[in-house]
Amino acid sequence: MQKITMLGTGYVGLVTGACLADFGNRVICVDTDADKVEALKLGKLPFYEFSLGEVVTRNVAEGRLSFTTDLPGAIRASKVIFIAVGTPTGEGGEADLAQVFSAARTIAANMNGYKLVVQKSTVPVGTGERVLRTIEGLLKRKKLPFDVASNPEFLREGSAVEDFMRPDRVVIGTWSKKAEAILSEVYRPLYLSETPMVKTSVQTAELIKYASNAFLATKISFINEMANLCEVLGADVKTVAKGMGLDKRIGPKFLHAGPGYGGSCFPKDTMALAIFAREAGMPSRIVEATIEVNREQRLRMMATIQALVPRLRGSTIAVLGLSFKPMTDDIRDSVGIDLVRMLRARGAKVRTFDPVAMERAAVELPKTIYFAKDSYDAAKGADGLVIATEWNEFRMLDLGKLRRLLGRPVVIDTRNIYDPIVLTAEGFRHEGVGRGRRVPARAGDKVKPAARPARNAAASKTPKAAARVRRAGTAS
Ligand code: UDX
């Protein structure tokens, strides 16, 4: 059991604090917002996260988890101090570390014995060292012992508690055996259950986090590019992803084509990585391309809506889903929110529904938006329906009822949750992402095959000419 103080009760801080208490540690969570702290003491969470409420309530009741605004007191009371404060995106796209260094200064000012300062929020590589220098600088000649560590989180919103309790790995970045031993003790239950532990230096741990998120984001941008290619070539991206994903070296996860990634992590982390890689003189062309593809994918969704509802001005569009993904009320960098804004900017009226994110969305969106009671209410009289988030309840809509309610039977399924064949059979005009399914016309068919856009010189020629080009290519 370790005595732990968690600085920050945002998403990462609260999940980590509550789960570490559940492991048997004694955890004090600190936040400067007194109202938030009071609410937390009563078991009221500042955001929705599946099963987190239970973990908080249980650990508060059993005396392992507490909340306070008394930052100096909480620092003095614990040996292990986790920094889980916000690291918003700065003006130039870089991570704004003001809160991290403010936390480091407060720790230095309240040292009353050995402290292990663990960086939990995602910070650019090198921040651990800067935190170490900051604290050292403030302590001057007072030789108070402390260590700095990096322990990145890999929590997905909506399944964060499960991700914490049963992680694929725990990454522990330290520069001393003592720090490593303390963090191993903090995670003892995971140790005992043989969760892989990656013990390494602070810089390596910091980079593992960015590299992991950037890789997952790259997988998404890659499959989105393939989806766009599928649309041109008449292939189906879902099956392409399945065919790829069955290769164990590739794996099936994070290969769902859609409107591009959003949320609080991928957009921010890919951008920060691109910036600090450039600053280090080693630009990451892959990550930069991932960001660009993602930006364009969202605009592409808007273009798809426009293709199906050409006169947007004065039209009404129903948007289902405002959270950036299901099982959360987080609307940061959400496709649904972006699409609502773009639709409004083009003069469309918007009716929208989300199972949990409407309250948050109402604060951000213009007053002219209609927040519906349910999906069917949103669809009433609309000239098109856009599925922006794949909430389970959107997967099982009564399509007949939907078609009758809509002013025009138009569906834009940005999450590919409906089978295009079923939508056609139900009488919808529809578009998904990468759901081409061209069957070549055969000799004797009445309908001529649709013209295929030229891909390259070989593709635009007759088969014989293409073969000649290929042979020439081989010979040279
Ligand atoms: C992510 C990481 O998964 C987690 O490890 C990290 O620490 C925090 O960031 P989160 O942002 O909660 O978690 O959501 P995630 O499930 O990873 O999805 C991120 C975005 O990618 C969402 O917008 C989602 O819709 C999108 N996505 C995900 C796809 O478009 N396709 C996929 O195949 C998977």
Side-chain angles (χ1 to χ4, degrees), residues 11-12 49 122 152-160 163 169 209 212-213 216-217 219-221 223-224 252-267 269 294 298 323-326 328 330 332-335 388-390 414-415:
Y11 195 82
V12 171
E49 176 60 37
T122 306
E153 52 85 17
F154 301 98
L155 309 172
R156 284 165 306 166
E157 293 188 20
S159 53
D163 285 350
R169 79 305 207 181
K209 166 68 190 193
S212 304
N213 273 1
L216 293 171
K219 257 185 126 174
I220 297 170
S221 277
I223 201 66
N224 284 340
K253 295 190 177 155
F254 283 73
L255 282 182
H256 298 288
Y261 57 79
S264 63
C265 288
F266 286 180
D269 294 352
N294 195 57
R298 213 167 270 203
S323 58
F324 83 94
K325 66 173 200 176
T328 174
D330 195 337
R332 283 176 285 178
D333 225 319
S334 140
V335 172
T389 312
E390 68 277 33
T414 76
R415 298 289 180 172

Side-chain angles (χ1 to χ4, degrees), residues 212-230 237 244 253-262 266-267 270-271 285-298 300-301 433:
S212 304
N213 273 1
F215 188 80
L216 293 171
T218 302
K219 257 185 126 174
I220 297 170
S221 277
F222 181 85
I223 201 66
N224 284 340
E225 266 196 344
M226 291 303 118
N228 301 342
L229 199 53
C230 280
V237 75
M244 288 169 64
K253 295 190 177 155
F254 283 73
L255 282 182
H256 298 288
Y261 57 79
F266 286 180
T270 44
M271 188 65 82
R285 284 169 294 170
I286 291 177
V287 174
E288 288 179 9
T290 292
I291 296 168
E292 188 55 21
V293 169
N294 195 57
R295 197 184 62 80
E296 281 173 14
Q297 192 68 4
R298 213 167 270 203
R300 220 180 139 84
M301 296 303 109
V433 178

Side-chain angles (χ1 to χ4, degrees), residues 49-180:
E49 176 60 37
F50 179 67
S51 80
L52 180 61
E54 280 163 49
V55 184
V56 169
T57 311
R58 179 170 65 242
N59 285 282
V60 168
E62 291 172 10
R64 287 186 298 269
L65 180 64
S66 60
F67 299 95
T68 181
T69 50
D70 174 15
L71 180 54
I75 291 169
R76 285 196 287 269
S78 301
K79 181 159 79 177
V80 187
I81 319 285
F82 276 81
I83 301 183
V85 295
T87 52
T89 303
E91 273 173 22
E94 77 294 347
D96 175 351
L97 301 177
Q99 294 181 55
V100 170
F101 290 106
S102 159
R105 285 192 294 274
T106 316
I107 294 168
N110 291 283
M111 295 254 292
N112 57 341
Y114 175 83
K115 303 285 167 190
L116 173 57
V117 181
V118 188
Q119 183 58 48
K120 193 73 186 167
S121 16
T122 306
V123 287
V125 180
T127 305
E129 195 170 339
R130 287 176 61 200
V131 166
L132 179 101
R133 300 276 167 251
T134 303
I135 299 176
E136 246 175 14
L138 290 165
L139 293 178
K140 299 209 177 82
R141 259 165 292 154
K142 277 188 264 166
K143 284 251 177 281
L144 289 171
F146 75 99
D147 275 309
V148 170
S150 164
N151 173 222
E153 52 85 17
F154 301 98
L155 309 172
R156 284 165 306 166
E157 293 188 20
S159 53
V161 172
E162 173 71 15
D163 285 350
F164 197 97
M165 300 294 189
R166 269 171 280 278
D168 290 340
R169 79 305 207 181
V170 173
V171 175
I172 291 179
T174 57
W175 287 304
S176 87
K177 284 282 162 214
K178 179 171 182 177
E180 187 186 299

Side-chain angles (χ1 to χ4, degrees), residues 24 61 77 116 185 187-188 193 281 322 372:
L116 173 57
E185 174 67 18
Y187 284 103
R188 192 138 75 120
S193 65
L322 293 169

